[in-house]
Amino acid sequence: MFKFKTKVLVTVISAALAMVSCAQVAEKSASNGEKKDASLVNGLPVIQGVLTQAPNVPPPITRSYAAKVVINMETQEKVMRMADGVDYMFWTFGGQVPGQFMRVREGDEIEFNLSNSPDSKMPHNIDLHAVTGPGGGAASSFTAPGHTSKFSFKALNPGLYVYHCATAPVGMHIGNGMYGLILVEPKAGLPKVDREYYVMQGDFYTKGKYGEAGLQPFDMEKAIKEQPDYVVFNGSVGALNGDKAITAKVGETLRLFVGNGGPNMVSSFHVIGEIFDKVYVEGGKLENNHVQTTLVPAGGSAITEFKVDVPGTFIIVDHSIFRAFNKGALGMLKVTGPEDKVIYSGKQADTVYLPEGSATQSIANPAAAAAKTLTKDEQIAQGKNGYESNCLACHQANGEGIPHAFPPLAKSDFLNADHNRAIGILLHGRSGPITVNGETYDSVMPAIALNNEQIANVLTYVLNSFGNNGGQVTGAQVEKQRKVAPSAEKSDVHG
Ligand code: CU
């Protein structure tokens, strides 16, 4: 993302260079977008800090000297989407959750101006973990609505630091979304990568349970008991899904600046189908390699780096996995480019497995011979078990799916319109966009390893549940579809 902006900026600067002298241009801007004014403070040049909203990150710092960096940030209280049909009064740094990303250099002196919107009902402040000093700036930045507080600090330690509001009740201010990240780049800079992104987890506590529609108030009791209804990346369910997924091309290197605002949960941060080549543990200097899942403490961070080798949709989760599939902690990284069948083949074969020996190996489908014909009611009963062990995690107990991630099976126009197409999807899996009940979904459904009768039973159960139109699918019908080529590309997803 910033790659593109940098390119534009470089072009603009090149054009400017053609018209005015180099010295004048250097006074005004660096190639990474930092704006420098002519004055000096404490002998340091004054620079306007670049702030970005997640998942974007300000460009790497290109200067080789310390500066006085001026940061202006506004706290705002505003109603925004938590999930489809669910709104929440978020308290924010800069109007979004997480708060704006700041990027400074080790040794910089930061002048921090915290304004609290005149529309706010509450006072707010900021505690930056990058600050060395009492409260991390909290007392100095305590700001009533319609006021601005100013304080300064020196970025002594490089690292990736959380900042958050620390106004009482602190848990409530953090629980309403008041956190973000500040990166203090080491003097020598970070190694060059192709793309950088900002992902921050948080847990939310609402009066209604997960998905309950309407404007949901904060629930202090659940927060104290540490029982979140929502655990999300970047402030809402689906903030990194579908067309909001982060992206990369095969062969590129990525750096994820990962934060966890809490207030309560620690994160087992994992990207399904990727291995972190490098993790800066807890956002510090310690480097670990070949990491599958990295722990991100509440009020802490991690920097993960990896190269993407194959295309596909890679699911970003908190591997405390019920949070991913039932509370919203699920994002997407979409990688485009050529396949590498050596690194990952996709499914190469599906053959009969007969541990009993070879006597019956000529039977094409293991269940076909043994299957007795069930009544429709028996099919529905057996299908319910199959649904619960294979489908429920994504499509949910009530068949309503997960907004922006997994389409609903309840009252599904897509499902009811074509039973054979549904059979094909269970047999072969499916990826790519589909429209269900007017909503577009772009996720990955793996092929389900069930035999003809089991698939028939699950589908018969679904067709006769969740407000669907009824109907019956038979094993013979599934067998027929087995021989039909899949209509869309196949895809796998593994945990
Ligand atoms: Cu606050």
Side-chain angles (χ1 to χ4, degrees):
M1 303 233 167
F2 75 78
K3 214 178 154 193
F4 171 75
K5 282 183 193 156
T6 309
K7 221 176 192 177
V8 171
L9 207 67
V10 168
T11 313
V12 170
I13 290 168
S14 314
L17 279 171
M19 292 181 278
V20 287
S21 83
C22 297
Q24 276 173 300
V25 172
E27 279 303 296
K28 294 215 168 61
S29 55
S31 65
N32 65 333
E34 287 185 331
K35 283 196 181 65
K36 186 171 158 184
D37 68 37
S39 57
L40 293 179
V41 173
N42 293 347
L44 298 177
V46 178
I47 281 172
Q48 280 295 323
V50 181
L51 305 181
T52 59
Q53 307 278 18
N56 298 322
V57 179
I61 289 170
T62 50
R63 62 188 152 80
S64 56
Y65 50 88
K68 181 86 181 174
V69 180
V70 178
I71 289 179
N72 301 316
M73 198 177 264
E74 186 190 37
T75 55
Q76 300 170 19
E77 300 163 5
K78 58 197 266 203
V79 173
M80 293 188 287
R81 177 189 166 283
M82 171 76 80
D84 282 348
V86 184
D87 288 330
Y88 190 81
M89 172 59 88
F90 291 91
W91 297 353
T92 72
F93 287 103
Q96 295 284 315
V97 178
Q100 289 156 309
F101 195 105
M102 295 174 257
R103 188 167 196 153
V104 299
R105 183 176 176 275
E106 177 186 1
D108 281 350
E109 293 176 26
I110 292 97
E111 176 193 307
F112 206 102
N113 299 291
L114 186 71
S115 301
N116 189 357
S117 165
D119 297 331
S120 292
K121 298 211 164 40
M122 305 291 294
H124 299 291
N125 65 7
I126 191 165
D127 167 352
L128 299 120
H129 294 180
V131 166
T132 304
S140 317
S141 61
F142 184 84
T143 309
H147 287 251
T148 298
S149 298
K150 174 175 164 178
F151 70 102
S152 297
F153 68 97
K154 182 163 182 170
L156 298 177
N157 302 77
L160 179 62
Y161 296 94
V162 166
Y163 67 85
H164 61 86
C165 185
T167 302
V170 178
M172 185 178 178
H173 284 251
I174 296 177
N176 282 340
M178 296 199 80
Y179 43 77
L181 290 179
I182 175 169
L183 174 68
V184 181
E185 272 199 41
K187 282 180 181 161
L190 290 168
K192 194 189 166 320
V193 292
D194 296 307
R195 291 170 193 256
E196 294 181 325
Y197 290 109
Y198 172 21
V199 177
M200 194 156 188
Q201 184 170 320
D203 30 293
F204 289 88
Y205 304 80
T206 53
K207 286 281 181 226
K209 59 184 196 308
Y210 179 89
E212 201 167 305
L215 177 61
Q216 289 295 328
F218 172 76
D219 189 319
M220 183 61 106
E221 209 166 303
K222 286 181 182 173
I224 291 168
K225 286 183 180 157
E226 306 189 12
Q227 293 168 344
D229 300 283
Y230 296 87
V231 182
V232 299
F233 296 123
N234 290 358
S236 65
V237 176
L240 283 174
N241 293 357
D243 58 5
K244 286 175 281 180
I246 57 173
T247 59
K249 294 198 177 74
V250 166
E252 287 184 329
T253 48
L254 269 76
R255 177 179 292 132
L256 304 183
F257 294 105
V258 185
N260 186 4
N264 289 321
M265 302 292 115
V266 300
S267 174
S268 299
F269 188 77
H270 178 79
V271 178
I272 299 174
E274 263 302 337
I275 295 145
F276 303 134
D277 300 323
K278 197 194 280 184
V279 172
Y280 293 101
V281 177
E282 295 166 5
K285 194 180 177 187
L286 178 65
E287 183 182 322
N288 198 356
N289 301 109
H290 315 307
V291 176
Q292 58 193 302
T293 301
T294 192
L295 201 61
V296 189
S301 73
I303 303 173
T304 74
E305 296 178 6
F306 53 99
K307 177 166 171 253
V308 286
D309 298 296
V310 295
T313 299
F314 295 81
I315 308 291
I316 301 166
V317 296
D318 178 340
H319 215 298
S320 292
I321 208 72
F322 274 99
R323 298 177 191 168
F325 293 110
N326 299 78
K327 295 186 173 184
L330 189 149
M332 292 178 185
L333 162 65
K334 291 191 178 178
V335 180
T336 54
E339 306 250 19
D340 184 332
K341 295 285 189 187
V342 174
I343 292 179
Y344 184 66
S345 71
K347 188 166 189 168
Q348 292 179 302
D350 181 348
T351 56
V352 174
Y353 168 59
L354 286 174
E356 301 293 305
S358 60
T360 55
Q361 268 181 2
S362 57
I363 294 173
N365 183 304
K372 79 172 180 71
T373 310
L374 302 178
T375 66
K376 186 173 162 186
D377 284 345
E378 287 171 325
Q379 275 196 285
I380 291 171
Q382 294 203 5
K384 185 171 194 293
N385 292 332
Y387 180 86
E388 285 173 356
S389 42
N390 293 282
C391 321
L392 180 145
C394 298
H395 294 288
Q396 305 294 292
N398 55 11
E400 281 172 3
I402 291 184
H404 299 294
F406 303 112
L409 303 177
K411 297 178 193 157
S412 164
D413 56 5
F414 185 89
L415 172 72
N416 289 299
D418 188 344
H419 295 181
N420 283 337
R421 177 174 63 186
I423 294 169
I425 290 173
L426 266 77
L427 287 172
H428 307 300
R430 196 183 193 290
S431 67
I434 63 167
T435 301
V436 180
N437 298 346
E439 275 268 13
T440 300
Y441 294 82
D442 193 0
S443 55
V444 179
M445 156 109 178
I448 304 293
L450 297 177
N451 67 35
N452 294 346
E453 274 60 38
Q454 289 166 327
I455 286 178
N457 296 345
V458 166
L459 273 171
T460 303
Y461 165 70
V462 171
L463 288 170
N464 290 280
S465 308
F466 315 140
N468 286 318
N469 299 346
Q472 190 172 7
V473 172
T474 64
Q477 209 178 334
V478 178
E479 174 60 24
K480 207 171 155 193
Q481 290 304 312
R482 235 178 237 286
K483 291 170 182 148
V484 177
S487 57
E489 64 196 287
K490 293 183 212 175
S491 224
D492 287 3
V493 57
H494 296 281

